[in-house]
């Protein structure tokens, strides 16, 4: 397959290192996410293990991280493939006092946190493609898989799993999803230390998470709209039950997409099991 990523054709710069639990823990010394980090060199899926731990009473803030997944999962029953020791693959367990309809504001907060940490650590600017992806131009850089369970109309646990293509070269074949993929390396021609990037994503997310839960999420809400790739564009939303097309107007405080169809009717699309396609290709 032809490869048009400049990074994969250029000379490699930068630093590549294995994940190091001590380094990650010391970067998160005063963080909720530094208290219970579960690290395995390889496992099935970080989301599956985090869910398992949630059911066995693991505390809020548990992070599961690995170098390799043998059964990595994407949304809508897809798989998530990533070569070993190259990308970031982790899941966060939360037990927020939220009603289920607000869970996807956490997905947006994580997308925003990752976007900001990537820009801060590497200088690469990406955009959020609702409902759960980060894109650079027309290529997918990262995806989030959000799973949760409720009890008595309250959320019991939420697992947010992030797969971020860091030092992987898309030319290498496997990786990401069936969508045209990219990586930080492919975009910047530099390899980056994943330990530092993971720490920054988690720190940034912790601050967003605190703000969301304390009712101070206005700034986040403004930012996830500012960095949204789809607003003002004609889109098609598809799920098992329905297909709606219209213009993406905004993403609301709960992480739902507000869409206006050609008859002027307004639809509130919650994440659920939907996919979003743009009418015209991204550029
Ligand atoms: C998507 O774009 O469909 C979401 C992809 C989410 C992939 C991550 S990798 C870490 C975590 N564990 C999984 O099995 N999936 C998520």
């Amino acid at each position: 397959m032809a490869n048009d990523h400049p990074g994969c054709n250029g000379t490699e710069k930068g630093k590549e290192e294995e994940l190091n639990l001590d380094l990650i823990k010391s970067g998160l010394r005063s963080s909720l996410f530094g208290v219970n980090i579960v690290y395995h060199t390889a496992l099935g899926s970080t989301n599956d293990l985090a869910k398992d731990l949630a059911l066995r009473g693991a505390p809020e803030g548990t992070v599961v991280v690995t170098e390799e997944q043998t059964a990595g999962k994407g949304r809508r029953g897809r798989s998530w493939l990533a070569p070993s020791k190259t990308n970031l693959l982790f899941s966060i367990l939360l037990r927020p006092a939220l009603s289920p309809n607000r869970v996807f504001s956490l997905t947006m907060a994580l997308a925003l946190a990752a976007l900001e940490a990537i820009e801060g650590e590497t200088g690469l600017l990406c955009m959020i493609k609702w409902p759960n992806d980060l894109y650079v131009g027309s290529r997918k850089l990262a995806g989030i898989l959000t799973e949760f369970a409720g009890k008595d109309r309250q959320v019991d646990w939420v697992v947010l799993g992030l797969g971020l293509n860091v030092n992987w070269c898309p030319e290498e074949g496997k990786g990401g999803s069936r969508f045209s993929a990219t990586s930080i390396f492919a975009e910047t021609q530099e390899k980056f230390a994943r330990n530092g990037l993971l720490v920054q994503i988690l720190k940034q997310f912790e601050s967003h998470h605190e703000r969301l839960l304390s009712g101070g999420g206005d700034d986040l809400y403004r930012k996830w709209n500012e960095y949204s790739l789809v607003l003002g564009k004609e889109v098609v939303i598809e799920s098992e039950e329905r297909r709606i097309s219209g213009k993406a107007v905004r993403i609301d405080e709960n992480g739902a997409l507000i869409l206006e169809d050609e008859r002027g009717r307004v639809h509130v699309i919650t994440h659920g099991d939907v996919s979003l396609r743009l009418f015209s290709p991204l550029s």
Side-chain angles (χ1 to χ4, degrees), residues 32-135:
L32 167 69
F33 300 123
V35 177
N36 190 28
I37 304 178
V38 179
Y39 170 78
H40 290 275
T41 44
L43 48 68
S45 149
T46 57
N47 263 44
D48 283 350
L49 179 53
K51 276 171 20 182
D52 233 51
L53 294 171
L55 296 174
R56 288 192 271 131
E60 152 138 308
T62 296
V63 173
V64 180
V65 58
T66 191
E67 287 282 19
E68 184 179 350
Q69 295 185 127
T70 52
K73 304 187 305 181
R75 288 177 69 249
R76 312 192 87 205
R78 295 186 191 119
S79 52
W80 184 265
L81 303 170
S84 182
K85 299 184 179 174
T86 307
N87 294 342
L88 276 178
L89 306 162
F90 67 93
S91 300
I92 301 166
L93 167 63
L94 296 170
R95 298 184 180 279
L98 278 183
S99 58
N101 70 325
R102 296 206 56 212
V103 161
F104 292 105
S105 60
L106 294 169
T107 314
M108 283 294 130
L110 179 58
L112 183 63
L115 177 152
E116 291 166 334
I118 293 165
E119 190 185 3
E121 292 290 294
T122 74
L124 178 66
L125 186 60
C126 50
M127 298 287 276
I128 301 171
K129 179 173 174 278
W130 188 90
N132 68 316
D133 295 332
L134 292 182
Y135 266 64

Side-chain angles (χ1 to χ4, degrees), residues 127-131 133 135 137-139 179 228-238 243-248 257 259 275-283:
M127 298 287 276
I128 301 171
K129 179 173 174 278
W130 188 90
D133 295 332
Y135 266 64
S138 58
R139 292 175 190 275
F179 299 103
S228 169
L229 192 63
V230 301
L231 297 194
K233 300 204 167 96
E234 294 296 323
V235 300
V236 185
I237 299 290
E238 279 173 317
R243 183 178 190 279
I244 307 173
S245 56
K247 194 202 254 176
L257 178 72
L259 182 140
S275 79
L276 177 148
R277 279 191 297 115
L278 285 127
F279 262 126
S280 46
L282 297 166
S283 56

Side-chain angles (χ1 to χ4, degrees), residues 17-29 33-34 37-39 65 195-196 198-199:
E17 60 183 15
E18 294 196 0
L19 290 177
N20 178 322
L21 188 55
D22 291 334
L23 219 55
I24 298 168
K25 275 189 177 158
S26 81
L28 293 168
R29 213 171 289 132
F33 300 123
I37 304 178
V38 179
Y39 170 78
V65 58
N195 294 302
L198 175 60
V199 165

